[in-house]
Amino acid sequence: MDIEDQWVVLVREGISIAFYMRQPHELMASAVWRALERYRQAISPRQPGWYVDYSGDWQPLDSEGEAVIRKRLLATSALVELIERPDSVTGIAFKYQGRSKAAAGFEKEEQESTCALEFRLPIEFLAERGPEWIRSLAIDLGHELPWNSGHAGLSLELGTWPKTLTPRLHEVTRRHPGFDLNRLNKLALYLGTKLRPPAWLTFLGPPVLNELGGVEGLRSQLRSPSTQVESLSPDRALVSLGPVPEAGDMDAGDTLPAYRELARVLEPWLYAHKGEWGFFTEAEVRQWERRFL
């Protein structure tokens, strides 16, 4: 679904792997750096080639840029965005918002701040490297991180969100509920330990997995033959909804029943965003977030 404006791709289909951690950046800076290095090794020979400086401008990720990114990621807080090209979305990108303990108030339970990061893969990797390779990579990347939740699956990558693009985004997200539309900056501020809607791969950790009765408690509530629940550690699990990510097609009656079953189980913990999301109104965001319910 590449959408182009004078040969610049504004939005394209891809794979998003995202994790959310209710811990301050100071405690996991090294883990985030190792996860980024693992991602870059895995996607080779393709690589991010540009980063955003603190003025919002794109700079080449040369040796000087590498030093800047490493310094940022190993500081007390971090805001990092890497992409393959600055002029067009390509499916290769890394985004991270690491919030410090002092700035985000992690010691206060009522605060909803979290550290959030996302690794993107081109949709072509599904055919070129296969869904099992993507699944293994997602697990491997998560192994480095103290996540509370996460997800991996089909997603729309936006280079920018002009208002003129909104009708098309409405159309795609309504018809194909398997596509996510991630906005990391919003989630880092408000997600806390709540959950995003189900994806092809849904990572569940504390406190939600414990409140579900652990792996066995979760498994007992999921009966779809395509669903698998795998223990990754005593307090973390992975739910796989089939062997490959699915977009669904509401117009053709493909409503993704396994995704809907998981959404019903997780409903008490699902995140409800307040306010707009790009050019979606709050009511439209709520409808989209609850698309599996």
Side-chain angles (χ1 to χ4, degrees):
M1 194 208 71
D2 290 2
I3 294 179
E4 300 183 3
D5 181 10
Q6 295 181 342
W7 302 286
V8 173
V9 180
L10 301 178
V11 57
R12 88 194 299 268
E13 300 170 357
I15 303 291
S16 169
I17 303 172
F19 294 100
Y20 310 101
M21 295 144 290
R22 187 75 173 91
Q23 292 192 27
H25 173 70
E26 297 97 312
L27 298 182
M28 56 186 186
S30 295
V32 173
W33 174 257
R34 291 194 301 271
L36 172 58
E37 289 295 274
R38 175 69 186 94
Y39 167 69
R40 296 203 286 191
Q41 291 169 7
I43 64 173
S44 181
R46 297 181 64 173
Q47 290 292 300
W50 298 77
Y51 74 96
V52 177
D53 65 19
Y54 283 132
S55 298
D57 297 322
W58 290 108
Q59 302 294 341
L61 195 57
D62 51 17
S63 58
E64 182 179 343
E66 288 283 353
V68 169
I69 295 305
R70 184 176 179 85
K71 183 178 180 180
R72 280 195 200 175
L73 280 177
L74 298 181
T76 55
S77 63
L79 177 61
V80 174
E81 182 172 359
L82 311 178
I83 60 171
E84 189 172 29
R85 286 173 49 184
D87 59 344
S88 188
V89 293
T90 67
I92 299 293
F94 169 84
K95 296 180 182 180
Y96 176 64
Q97 291 215 359
R99 303 175 63 75
S100 70
K101 181 176 182 179
F106 279 96
E107 71 281 359
K108 300 176 182 179
E109 290 188 6
E110 68 273 16
Q111 293 286 340
E112 298 175 322
S113 293
T114 190
C115 293
L117 81 166
E118 179 183 30
F119 308 89
R120 296 203 67 94
L121 302 172
I123 195 70
E124 308 91 80
F125 276 21
L126 264 177
E128 294 172 1
R129 307 195 182 192
E132 188 55 41
W133 180 89
I134 294 172
R135 183 179 183 278
S136 296
L137 176 61
I139 293 172
D140 193 23
L141 294 172
H143 182 72
E144 296 283 355
L145 304 163
W147 47 265
N148 296 92
S149 67
H151 52 83
L154 297 175
S155 181
L156 301 176
E157 180 186 6
L158 275 67
T160 184
W161 189 335
K163 193 171 185 178
T164 53
L165 190 59
T166 303
R168 179 59 172 151
L169 293 177
H170 271 306
E171 177 187 351
V172 173
T173 54
R174 179 204 65 79
R175 180 172 177 178
H176 303 291
F179 278 108
D180 192 16
L181 190 59
N182 213 359
R183 304 288 281 178
L184 215 66
N185 58 333
K186 300 283 189 181
L187 295 170
L189 290 171
Y190 305 120
L191 183 67
T193 56
K194 292 290 187 178
L195 305 177
R196 300 291 319 289
W200 171 48
L201 306 178
T202 299
F203 293 84
L204 297 172
V208 172
L209 184 63
N210 297 332
E211 293 171 6
L212 282 163
V215 171
E216 292 306 319
L218 174 60
R219 186 179 286 132
S220 69
Q221 299 181 66
L222 298 172
R223 295 176 174 81
S224 173
S226 63
T227 298
Q228 292 185 344
V229 181
E230 175 184 353
S231 176
L232 300 179
S233 74
D235 61 352
R236 287 181 172 81
L238 171 63
V239 183
S240 303
L241 302 179
V244 298
E246 298 181 73
D249 188 339
M250 299 296 286
D251 292 351
D254 182 4
T255 63
L256 300 179
Y259 290 63
R260 293 177 179 276
E261 180 185 56
L262 180 58
R264 289 192 294 271
V265 171
L266 300 180
E267 183 176 6
W269 298 276
L270 291 180
Y271 170 67
H273 182 70
K274 298 179 178 64
E276 298 179 346
W277 187 280
F279 283 104
F280 286 5
T281 66
E282 183 169 342
E284 291 167 339
V285 174
R286 187 64 50 84
Q287 183 179 29
W288 171 68
E289 286 179 330
R290 296 180 62 81
R291 62 194 181 277
F292 294 122
L293 294 169

